[in-house]
Amino acid sequence: MSSQIEEKVDEQMMQSVKVYNLHPEATKGLDRAQYGLQCCGSSGPSDYNENINITENMVPATCCKQPMDECTFMQDSETVYQTGCTERLVEYADEYLACIIGVSLVLLVCQILSLIFGCCLIRSVQDEEKV
């Protein structure tokens, strides 16, 4: 993935971290990402120090490896995911990029075939009307 895309993803992730618990959509999206990708923050758990709505050195429950209400990122890596979500998201995209491209190409071919068949159908209807 290009560094420009990675920078943009990191920037958007950091914006979501800053407004965590302030905007429900950002909170829900970041919680899903952190839980699903097993990550915390944009580049790591310390990103949550940028959020004025979260107690210093605390992270959301979705950053915790074991279910709990909240945990501190000062604890060892046994308790809190230390990897940032930007890194995990880039790894995930790189891993499944070939599959994503393959599915996209299949859908493109289906769309083109549908267009061709539609044009043939229109043409045959027009030919029948002339007769």
Side-chain angles (χ1 to χ4, degrees):
M1 203 178 247
S2 78
S3 62
Q4 276 185 321
I5 295 173
E6 194 171 334
E7 286 175 22
K8 197 66 170 171
V9 168
D10 188 49
E11 182 181 309
Q12 292 299 314
M13 276 285 195
M14 197 59 197
Q15 286 295 342
S16 294
V17 167
K18 287 180 181 178
V19 297
Y20 188 88
N21 278 347
L22 299 173
H23 295 289
E25 297 84 18
T27 302
K28 189 175 180 180
L30 201 51
D31 279 344
R32 273 193 189 148
Q34 290 176 157
Y35 180 77
L37 297 172
Q38 297 180 338
C39 57
C40 187
S42 178
S43 58
S46 61
D47 291 342
Y48 280 98
N49 281 338
E50 300 288 323
N51 185 312
I52 59 170
N53 204 35
I54 293 181
T55 308
E56 190 173 345
N57 295 335
M58 299 299 280
V59 293
T62 52
C63 284
C64 306
K65 292 181 179 180
Q66 300 296 321
M68 52 180 69
D69 290 336
E70 57 183 17
C71 48
T72 64
F73 71 82
M74 300 304 277
Q75 297 168 342
D76 59 23
S77 60
E78 296 296 318
T79 309
V80 177
Y81 296 118
Q82 299 297 313
T83 307
C85 291
T86 300
E87 181 181 336
R88 288 291 171 117
L89 193 58
V90 169
E91 288 172 2
Y92 184 82
D94 285 343
E95 183 177 339
Y96 292 101
L97 188 59
C99 183
I100 292 168
I101 290 172
V103 169
S104 298
L105 289 175
V106 167
L107 291 173
L108 177 65
V109 168
C110 289
Q111 289 288 323
I112 291 171
L113 289 174
S114 296
L115 183 63
I116 291 169
F117 290 138
C119 289
C120 290
L121 181 63
I122 290 171
R123 181 83 175 218
S124 68
V125 169
Q126 287 175 343
D127 287 345
E128 283 185 18
E129 288 177 357
K130 288 181 183 178
V131 172

